[in-house]
Amino acid sequence: QVQLVESGGGSVQAGGSLRLSCAASAYTYSGYCMGWFRQAPGKEREGVAAIDSDGSTSYADSVKGRFTISKDNAKNTLYLQMNSLKPEDTAMYYCAAACGWYGGSWSANYWGQGTQVTVSS
């Protein structure tokens, strides 16, 4: 059964840091691209970062140098370390599994329930 449970969201001032966690079932975690997406009010969902089964990572240009995606295979847990946060990072953040190109868009097959990140100026 696919299970993704995010935690770690919250409110922070600009320049601050947060770490998001995503606990995944072993079935979901193994062999899949895992990623983080976000959606701000009135905007389309966008991919933030992804990590493939071989450990290779990719980032949206808007977060490069500030966010780091990682995973702990022993714990089946995905992380997103977010530093130097900006008000424009405010969004609902979603953990996702089986990320890839679906119909020309970067998306995923499995989704968590989301965790809110709010950055104040």
Side-chain angles (χ1 to χ4, degrees):
Q1 185 176 356
V2 176
Q3 287 184 329
L4 298 167
V5 181
E6 302 100 332
S7 61
S11 297
V12 66
Q13 288 192 328
S17 298
L18 284 173
R19 188 177 81 156
L20 306 182
S21 299
C22 173
S25 60
Y27 175 80
T28 307
Y29 189 85
S30 61
Y32 283 126
C33 166
M34 303 286 293
W36 291 95
F37 291 74
R38 67 186 181 187
Q39 187 166 21
K43 294 188 176 181
E44 291 187 356
R45 183 179 60 204
E46 63 173 347
V48 175
I51 184 165
D52 215 333
S53 55
D54 64 0
S56 58
T57 59
S58 59
Y59 297 91
D61 287 343
S62 59
V63 306
K64 279 181 182 176
R66 301 188 298 121
F67 291 11
T68 302
I69 189 171
S70 63
K71 58 182 181 177
D72 185 331
N73 292 336
K75 297 181 179 179
N76 289 347
T77 301
L78 180 72
Y79 301 100
L80 184 68
Q81 177 67 43
M82 305 185 294
N83 298 328
S84 301
L85 282 161
K86 304 175 180 180
E88 51 263 44
D89 294 318
T90 295
M92 184 72 77
Y93 283 71
Y94 297 92
C95 173
C99 44
W101 292 99
Y102 294 85
S105 298
W106 183 251
S107 187
N109 218 11
Y110 306 106
W111 300 90
Q113 81 286 355
T115 185
Q116 179 67 37
V117 171
T118 302
V119 185
S120 58
S121 57

